[in-house]
Amino acid sequence: MKREDLLRSCLQNLLRRKSRTILTVLGVLIGCCSIVIMVSLGIGMKESQERLLAELGDLTIITVTAPQKGRGKKKLDDALLKTIRGIEGVEAVTPKMNLENYTCRLLAGPGNRYVADWCVITGLDTAQMERMGYQSLGGQRPVQPGEAAVGEYFAYNFKDTLRPENSNMINRWDSGVDDQGRLLPPPPAYFDPMKESLTLEVEVRAGTKFTVPLKAVETVKEDNAKGYETSEGLMLSIEDLRAIQKKAGVTQPLPYDAVLVKVSGIQQVEPVENAIKNLGYSTESMESVRKPMEKEAHQKQLMLGGLGAISLIVAALGITNTMIMSISERTREIGVMKSLGCYVYDIRLLFLAEAGAIGCIGGVVGCIISFVISLVINLVALGPSPQNILPAILGGEGVGRLSVIPPWLYLFAVFFSIFIGLGSGFYPANKAVQIPALEAIKSD
């Protein structure tokens, strides 16, 4: 039997009993939709979790601290930095030291009009900021002595001394939230620290002060994984911070307060953490938060996908029932085909083709309907506006979709539906070819 004749016979047999075929296809369609929508909700859940973690900070950063807060034998020093750099998977390392135990003030603007009575001042290896993943919002990396990077909301620490008390500072948290519960951008600060000179005033003891001129050359995006200084603090080079400590009377270089380690990928966080812990140091990262959330999302995906698969398995029983009934009705036809010399292979292939076609049609139509359902779900979440149609389909930065259907899920659903169809038709096809020709011709 030619392939054209096989295809023609397959379509004719499916159209012969339109109602039965449509109902069987409908079962596959529902099963396919169930799998795609259920899995898409699980993927949407995972995407929301990843977006939440990304807002918390860089997931590839490990913070290393010394046991007993550095009072024991283990110190955070340059020798440790060299050892950590040699660990496989480590991309960049920077020491971190805060200017503590002193009363500090920051002055800015003409006549020192703007004053910050408190600020986090941190020293780090500014040459490693690029590799460490500090995101710049403007300016250039600090290179020269006296240059500094400031946090994204650094300017909101300052009060305007020319304004009345209790109304001389801007609260960046008073900006309100949007329709999705996200904070709106804060109102403009009183001044731009990149355009004003800064003066650091350090009080060593009562009545003893000294000042250090500084220049803000870069604004850094807030990243909680790297430290609070990226939000409202000031970042200097380690050399500049130690020069300030020396001016304050520190004679011997102090050990670092912490060490930040950036690894090449999320999968490298755990092995690098274990390697550092084996050296006798404490570590902290987002891994302890990410792994349970990832495991939970994976379990929910399996559960939702399993519920959808049950519907498709039920549809498979419908295909099997339809094909068995078709064989009962076409017993004489099978006998005639055998009498005319049709190969057993062709008869089996005909019934498998009919079952596979039912699975394929149900899968393709199910994917189209799943696309529409997913779009409606996302539009309900984002708002039923024409401008939200494209974000509801493709997503984007800051777009929270409830249902996410990647291209591979469509392909999987179609191929799985075809596979279910072929699997369901295998038994009926074998049953058809086992009917003796003479007995089949005599059948009513």
Side-chain angles (χ1 to χ4, degrees):
M1 184 181 287
K2 295 181 179 179
R3 294 293 174 263
E4 295 82 3
D5 297 332
L6 188 67
L7 180 61
R8 188 182 305 109
S9 297
C10 175
L11 293 176
Q12 287 174 350
N13 293 329
L14 290 176
L15 294 174
R16 186 184 301 173
R17 296 286 186 270
K18 294 185 182 68
S19 299
R20 183 192 300 167
T21 302
I22 290 173
L23 289 174
T24 309
V25 169
L26 188 61
V28 178
L29 183 153
I30 293 173
C32 179
C33 282
S34 299
I35 284 185
V36 174
I37 294 300
M38 292 293 188
V39 174
S40 75
L41 291 174
I43 295 174
M45 237 180 281
K46 184 178 180 182
E47 187 180 84
S48 298
Q49 290 178 350
E50 289 176 350
R51 187 168 58 252
L52 175 63
L53 287 172
E55 290 175 359
L56 295 177
D58 192 341
L59 303 181
T60 60
I61 292 291
I62 301 171
T63 302
V64 183
T65 54
Q68 302 178 11
K69 297 183 178 181
R71 291 190 292 269
K73 293 182 179 180
K74 297 289 184 179
K75 304 289 184 183
L76 299 178
D77 51 19
D78 293 331
L80 175 64
L81 299 183
K82 184 177 180 181
T83 302
I84 293 177
R85 288 190 180 101
I87 298 175
E88 184 179 358
V90 173
E91 188 171 309
V93 180
T94 179
K96 186 176 172 182
M97 180 182 290
N98 293 323
L99 186 63
E100 297 175 334
N101 303 323
Y102 306 105
T103 301
C104 299
R105 289 202 312 164
L106 281 169
L107 312 172
N112 294 330
R113 173 178 175 176
Y114 306 107
V115 178
D117 293 322
W118 176 87
C119 182
V120 175
I121 301 171
T122 302
L124 45 82
D125 186 353
T126 53
Q128 294 291 315
M129 291 181 71
E130 191 75 36
R131 296 182 64 191
M132 287 295 300
Y134 284 86
Q135 297 182 45
S136 178
L137 296 177
Q140 58 187 12
R141 300 296 185 191
V143 177
Q144 301 298 327
E147 292 183 342
V150 296
E152 184 174 359
Y153 305 108
F154 171 76
Y156 294 91
N157 278 338
F158 288 77
K159 61 184 178 182
D160 186 350
T161 56
L162 299 183
R163 293 174 182 267
E165 194 70 27
N166 298 324
S167 61
N168 57 357
M169 292 188 73
I170 296 176
N171 186 352
R172 66 183 180 94
W173 303 105
D174 286 344
S175 55
V177 295
D178 59 15
D179 295 337
Q180 298 183 18
R182 295 175 298 194
L183 278 173
L184 294 171
Y190 287 137
F191 74 103
D192 184 354
M194 301 279 287
K195 296 179 180 178
E196 301 287 352
S197 59
L198 299 174
T199 301
L200 172 64
E201 183 182 271
V202 181
E203 183 177 350
V204 182
R205 63 186 70 87
T208 305
K209 301 178 182 178
F210 65 89
T211 59
V212 179
L214 298 173
K215 182 181 180 182
V217 296
E218 181 186 30
T219 302
V220 173
K221 182 176 176 59
E222 182 182 33
D223 189 338
N224 294 323
K226 295 183 176 68
Y228 183 75
E229 63 275 4
T230 60
S231 176
E232 298 183 3
L234 184 76
M235 288 152 279
L236 309 169
S237 68
I238 285 289
E239 291 75 18
D240 283 349
L241 191 73
R242 282 185 164 159
I244 294 172
Q245 289 176 333
K246 187 175 181 180
K247 200 170 181 180
V250 177
T251 56
Q252 295 294 328
L254 300 174
Y256 304 123
D257 296 323
V259 174
L260 296 184
V261 180
K262 183 174 178 64
V263 297
S264 55
I266 291 176
Q267 303 305 322
Q268 298 294 325
V269 173
E270 187 174 5
V272 172
E273 269 198 285
N274 291 335
I276 295 173
K277 286 178 180 177
N278 291 336
L279 296 174
Y281 295 88
S282 303
T283 64
E284 183 182 344
S285 71
M286 292 290 183
E287 189 71 3
S288 58
V289 177
R290 186 190 70 84
K291 286 197 76 173
M293 292 181 68
E294 188 179 63
K295 185 178 180 181
E296 181 186 359
H298 184 63
Q299 289 174 343
K300 288 180 178 178
Q301 279 182 299
L302 289 177
M303 181 184 69
L304 293 172
L307 291 174
I310 291 173
S311 301
L312 203 51
I313 291 172
V314 173
L317 297 178
I319 296 175
T320 304
N321 180 61
T322 298
M323 299 309 298
I324 291 176
M325 291 179 65
S326 179
I327 291 168
S328 301
E329 295 172 354
R330 294 158 58 190
T331 304
R332 184 184 294 273
E333 178 186 332
I334 295 170
V336 171
M337 291 174 66
K338 284 189 173 184
S339 300
L340 292 175
C342 186
Y343 291 112
V344 171
Y345 168 81
D346 289 330
I347 297 173
R348 179 185 288 112
L349 189 60
L350 176 62
F351 282 90
L352 285 175
E354 291 177 20
I358 291 173
C360 181
I361 295 170
V364 172
V365 178
C367 286
I368 294 172
I369 295 176
S370 298
F371 171 81
V372 175
I373 294 174
S374 175
L375 177 60
V376 171
I377 291 173
N378 289 331
L379 284 177
V380 169
L382 299 175
S385 171
Q387 62 192 27
N388 287 333
I389 293 178
L390 203 58
I393 298 172
L394 302 177
E397 187 175 354
V399 177
R401 294 183 294 169
L402 295 179
S403 174
V404 179
I405 308 180
W408 64 262
L409 184 54
Y410 288 120
L411 294 175
F412 169 79
V414 172
F415 282 112
F416 189 60
S417 298
I418 295 173
F419 175 77
I420 287 291
L422 292 174
S424 303
F426 186 77
Y427 169 72
N430 277 344
K431 184 179 180 181
V433 299
Q434 290 171 6
I435 300 175
L438 186 59
E439 180 182 336
I441 292 174
K442 290 180 179 180
S443 176
D444 291 332

